[in-house]
Amino acid sequence: MAEKHVYKFGVDENGNNVTEVAGKTVDEAKWITGGKGANLAEMANIGLPVPPGFSITCQTCVAYSSAGNVWPDGVLDEIDEYRKDLEKRMGKKIGDPDDPLLVSVRSGAPFSMPGMMDTVLNLGLNDESVNGLIKQTNNERFAWDSYRRFVQMFSDVVMGVDGQLFEDAINEKKAEKGVKLDTELTADDLKDLTETFKGIFAKNVDSQAHPEVAPDGVAEFPQDPYLQLRLAEQAVFGSWNTERAVLYRKQNKIPDDLGTAVNVQVMVFGNKGNTSATGVAFTRNPADGTNERYGDFLVNAQGEDVVAGIRNTEPIADLPKTPGLEEAGKELYHVFEILEDHYADMMDLEFTIEQGKLWMLQTRVGKRTALSALKVAMQMVDEGRITREQAIMRVAPEQLDQLLHPQFDPKAKFDVVAKGMNASPGAAVGAVVFSSDAAVHYHNIEKPCILVRWETTPDDLKGMVAAEGILTSHGGKTSHAAVIARGMGAPCVCGAEALKIDAKAKECKISGTDVVLHEGDIISINGTTGDIIVGAVPLTRPELTGDLETILEWADDVRHDASRGRLFGVRTNADNPADAQLSVDFGAEGIGLDRTEHMFLGDRKQIIQSFILADNDGQKQQALGQLLQAQTGDFEGMFKAMDGKTVIVRLLDPPLHEFLDDPRDLAVEIARAEGRGETEVQLKAMRDRLARLDSFQEANPMLGLRGCRLGIVYPELNDMQVRAIAGAAAALKKQGFDPKPEIMVPLISTVEELKLVREQIEAGVQAVAEAEGVELNIPVGCMIELPRAAVTADEIGEYADFFSFGTNDLTQTTFGFSRDDVESAFIPQYLAKKILKTNPFETLDKGVAKLVKMGVEGGHKANPTIVCGVCGETGGDPDSIQMYYDLGLDYVSCSPYRVPIARLAAAQAKINSNGGPEKISK
């Protein structure tokens, strides 16, 4: 059977419904005829008044675009047959000089993309048919208003003529006539404007680029209605690839290969006088979820007037009270109820009233804020329209960021001076500071600040904690600043390359502007969008509502319900008691990653340095003793905060040089000392220290002496950490607590590494248990973050109680990428050129996923009871969470502020993979 490219909807000339559906359900049909076409067909099938028309499929768009904007064989003939059928159904012909049929040509992709693609209205008017419209309507003003609108829209949308030229012409005409509103222009005025518009068309359309509208070598507005139709259809297809549409899809993770449908529909007119109107409405409030009809309408107007802001609109609540529109208004309110009953969701709709007759032009599931999504889902469960599982599926996990972080006040007006990467969500306002010490100072005097750095380092932690937000000119979304900021829940904008920072001078110039920021100047940053603003933007902090708690509890019930599939846990990545407590408050069921290296920063950096640079065992042991005491206290705090919950402690992972001073700084200090004439003894000590620091530098430290290799080369570090973990657990057990630590070995590549380190750990735990007189059962597992570990998981699993997949390093080593370099260097180009569909450091890559699957299966082969989880950045990404559930993982672990998002996403993943949501029995 030949592929079908066109589907019709609406009634025939006898009033019979002749709608052709492209799928068994709207959700199935939208992939073919787009959301608009599928819903127009659905409304026609349930008896709502829909102007007849036909839809050209999304697949036709893809074929047309892929062939270099060439129609597939036979499609134009098929479209022509449906055009003739529409004319037969209406008893009119497009462009007929006596009684013209006018149509709209509109886009309609599978996913709603409001305002991103193009529309042409009133198609079929020309210099002859406008007189036929006057004759049929006996309304000269309406006819010329429709024609001038068509010329303006066709010129803009189809030919790319600057729309402002037409607006300027309208304003000139209104000034000439001494009127303020378009509606005050007469029929003669609009007739004159139509001629002016055609002149603008002729002057601004390239006749060589568009020979089809320049038969004599000079561009003129096309009079052939069928040429108008073909050009409009092509323009709507072309709008799929406009810059704004591409950007919208990127932001909303909509695939580029879906295409848009084209909907050709009989025009109905809201600009036929005071008994006509047009509007856009929602069945409930999309901002806060209130169960009220919400929207706007305009009397004597066409659809674009409502959204263009040319005239002040009226609230939809006034429609049934408007003279001449009362009955249509009441009918619309009845349609609200019909749509909600049918779709069991909050619906967005467009309508036109033509001389008192209501017509439905579109409906779709309404876009809404997180607050509205939660409230509407709760309401519809209470109303018996949907189940709890359906309610869980109604809330997009990413939306919860709106409820968990401060945001710019939606009413605030501001100018964006620069943009960077939206690295950590939320908004912050504060004084610019260029050092961590300054940030701490501002914090101490209770003055909010924004830490502005080229890039942050571990030494900046105190400043990052003190600051309200972090702004860097370098680094990507998984740079140090981004990772730490997300972990802390701090807003962060990274990689703002327009910032030229001079930290010594305490100033920052912004390229392309004359703005120079000095320390103390107030700025605002939006980590959700990447916007940077000079001055203070008002903030709002949405409160955690009862609806949010309720839906997360429902999500937890699904995740923990064995009858609905494999249990799926949510843990957190936390390194201190405050973050641990925050995670518990957000619903974390344990800690999936406690990075002990973060406990060595700040004042303790000197202790670890003294261990690394020690000249003898005595100095080493003294440093280890200090670290043991500090770490034991750290773990006691963590285990107490997470009492009764699993805490996976990762042994020291980073290269040692990260804890050392920069040798280049010391080299500069030596040069200065030489210039001051310091003694040779003093200089020798400094040079010896420099040589020692240099000896720890590595050409590729991330693949050098780090992870388990560090503990094998320096076993006393492992001994110290194991004693601290076991000692803290033993102390708390004696106090009546229920600590549940687990020890994780990082960067395993061979089974022999894990076997060796596990023996050391078990011996250390046993020694503490015997010394303290308590029983300690501390599981030992490892991170799977190297390809070799994944492919030999069937060997490694024999010595592991659990696997935790570290997808940041696994992604780096699979791709051969250094994430801190590639995200700013070429990842954006790879995404733009479709080499990569998504950033693999944000969403799990399919190739990396195969290694995860291999690791899970190999681990279970060696140890059927092994627990598998993930603790990488992607553990909080909803798309990745779906993949992790399907790959067989038992839990995901993410930063504290991502925990609520992960709880919801994990429940949705489980529902998706087990037959979809349970529905109300009818």
Side-chain angles (χ1 to χ4, degrees), residues 409-473:
D409 188 331
K411 300 176 184 176
K413 295 182 179 180
F414 52 83
D415 294 320
V416 176
V417 71
K419 286 183 75 74
M421 294 185 186
N422 51 331
S424 182
V429 177
V432 171
V433 295
F434 295 99
S435 70
S436 290
D437 288 339
V440 171
H441 171 70
Y442 272 66
H443 178 75
N444 290 340
I445 62 174
E446 298 183 346
K447 187 174 182 179
C449 66
I450 306 292
L451 179 60
V452 180
R453 301 282 282 163
W454 184 79
E455 167 61 306
T456 60
T457 70
D459 281 343
D460 288 316
L461 184 62
K462 61 182 180 181
M464 298 173 74
V465 171
E468 295 294 310
I470 299 112
L471 172 61
T472 74
S473 61

Side-chain angles (χ1 to χ4, degrees), residues 141 144-145 147-149 151-152 165-174 176-177 181-182 185-201:
R141 187 192 184 283
W144 285 109
D145 184 39
Y147 193 13
R148 71 91 187 168
R149 287 173 184 269
V151 176
Q152 179 177 355
L165 296 173
F166 301 96
E167 292 300 324
D168 292 343
I170 293 172
N171 291 331
E172 287 176 13
K173 176 60 72 173
K174 288 191 291 188
E176 175 191 329
K177 294 296 181 178
L181 300 177
D182 297 1
L185 294 173
T186 66
D188 286 338
D189 295 334
L190 295 169
K191 182 177 181 180
D192 289 344
L193 268 179
T194 303
E195 290 304 311
T196 301
F197 284 5
K198 287 193 290 182
I200 294 172
F201 179 97

Side-chain angles (χ1 to χ4, degrees), residues 343-355:
Y343 285 92
D345 207 342
M346 182 191 85
M347 303 303 291
D348 166 8
L349 52 94
E350 296 178 19
F351 65 92
T352 286
I353 300 170
E354 181 178 17
Q355 295 180 321

Side-chain angles (χ1 to χ4, degrees), residues 272-338:
K272 278 190 173 180
N274 291 333
T275 59
S276 300
T278 189
V280 176
F282 293 81
T283 58
R284 305 192 187 205
N285 190 315
D288 61 20
T290 301
N291 191 356
E292 63 183 0
R293 307 316 181 195
Y294 181 98
D296 303 287
F297 74 98
L298 277 174
V299 176
N300 193 21
Q302 282 200 308
E304 72 268 22
D305 296 337
V306 177
V307 295
I310 297 170
R311 292 163 51 192
N312 291 329
T313 58
E314 302 293 332
I316 204 71
D318 290 349
L319 182 61
K321 300 177 286 186
T322 302
L325 300 173
E326 298 94 340
E327 291 305 314
K330 292 177 184 176
E331 185 181 357
L332 179 66
Y333 268 62
H334 181 52
V335 168
F336 285 146
E337 297 173 8
I338 292 172

